[in-house]
Amino acid sequence: MAETYSNIRVDNGVRRIGVNDDGEYIELSVNDVQLTERFAGLLQWFDKKSAEIDEEGSKLAEKYGEDATIEDENGINTDMVVDVAALRTAVYKECCERIDGVFGKDTCRKVFGNVLPDDVLLMEFFEQISPVLEKLAAERGEKIKLKYQRGKKAKQRTKAQLIEAYAGK
């Protein structure tokens, strides 16, 4: 068995963000250059889907027409309620899948528990995670600034210098 010649460790910038009272967390990396893009895409998708829900709601009202006002003995048009609920359920399930895609597996379960969140809970999550992402971006900017300051830059080797050193020249 070969001996370990050397060890290196790179700070991957992973930060833990607590998301519930059970001590569970999600992990986000300061160095994940796609995180902002994925989050912005999620917000755009959510806005688009919210508009679609409103549009579909109007279509359902048209579909039921005068029947939309027909109520059961409890004063509720159950057919229309079921159709609207099914639409919202499908969108919110997909939203949770997308949140898990952006922030990691089981994020929705960790954040919302075993319930399918509605638009109010989803917006609360977006509002709370946004400042966290801004802080991560600021931390990344500061790391880059410190790493590439003029005085320190002279100490870093170029790609060509690294290749020469590796080749033993």
Side-chain angles (χ1 to χ4, degrees):
M1 178 174 264
E3 236 179 86
T4 301
Y5 177 75
S6 184
N7 292 305
I8 63 168
R9 299 289 182 267
V10 176
D11 177 9
N12 61 7
V14 171
R15 304 296 182 258
R16 290 182 175 179
I17 293 87
V19 293
N20 63 35
D21 293 335
D22 295 332
E24 291 184 294
Y25 53 87
I26 58 175
E27 291 184 334
L28 303 175
S29 176
V30 171
N31 300 321
D32 182 351
V33 296
Q34 292 181 318
L35 180 59
T36 301
E37 180 183 356
R38 291 192 316 262
F39 182 62
L42 172 63
L43 293 179
Q44 287 176 333
W45 175 88
F46 187 76
D47 285 344
K48 179 182 167 192
K49 285 297 182 178
S50 294
E52 285 178 19
I53 287 174
D54 292 343
E55 185 180 320
E56 287 297 317
S58 296
K59 286 180 184 177
L60 287 173
E62 278 182 35
K63 172 185 171 183
Y64 287 99
E66 291 181 19
D67 291 341
T69 59
I70 297 174
E71 302 169 345
D72 67 7
E73 63 275 359
N74 297 317
I76 299 170
N77 182 331
T78 54
D79 290 339
M80 188 170 173
V81 169
V82 167
D83 285 350
V84 171
L87 172 67
R88 292 169 50 101
T89 296
V91 169
Y92 299 147
K93 279 184 180 179
E94 185 177 351
C95 190
C96 278
E97 290 169 6
R98 288 175 177 261
I99 287 172
D100 286 354
V102 172
F103 297 105
K105 186 178 183 222
D106 291 332
T107 296
C108 275
R109 182 200 54 77
K110 291 174 184 178
V111 172
F112 304 114
N114 291 320
V115 298
L116 182 64
D118 64 1
D119 53 339
V120 174
L121 286 177
L122 291 167
M123 288 306 298
E124 186 176 338
F125 171 73
F126 295 150
E127 289 170 3
Q128 288 187 35
I129 198 70
S130 292
V132 172
L133 296 176
E134 290 170 10
K135 188 175 176 183
L136 288 174
E139 182 181 339
R140 182 174 190 277
E142 191 61 32
K143 281 179 70 174
I144 289 171
K145 181 180 167 185
L146 290 173
K147 185 170 183 90
Y148 294 105
Q149 286 176 341
R150 284 184 180 237
K152 197 171 182 182
K153 192 170 186 177
K155 296 178 187 175
Q156 293 185 0
R157 296 186 289 177
T158 66
K159 180 179 174 184
Q161 290 170 326
L162 290 170
I163 293 170
E164 285 179 15
Y166 178 75
K169 293 182 181 179

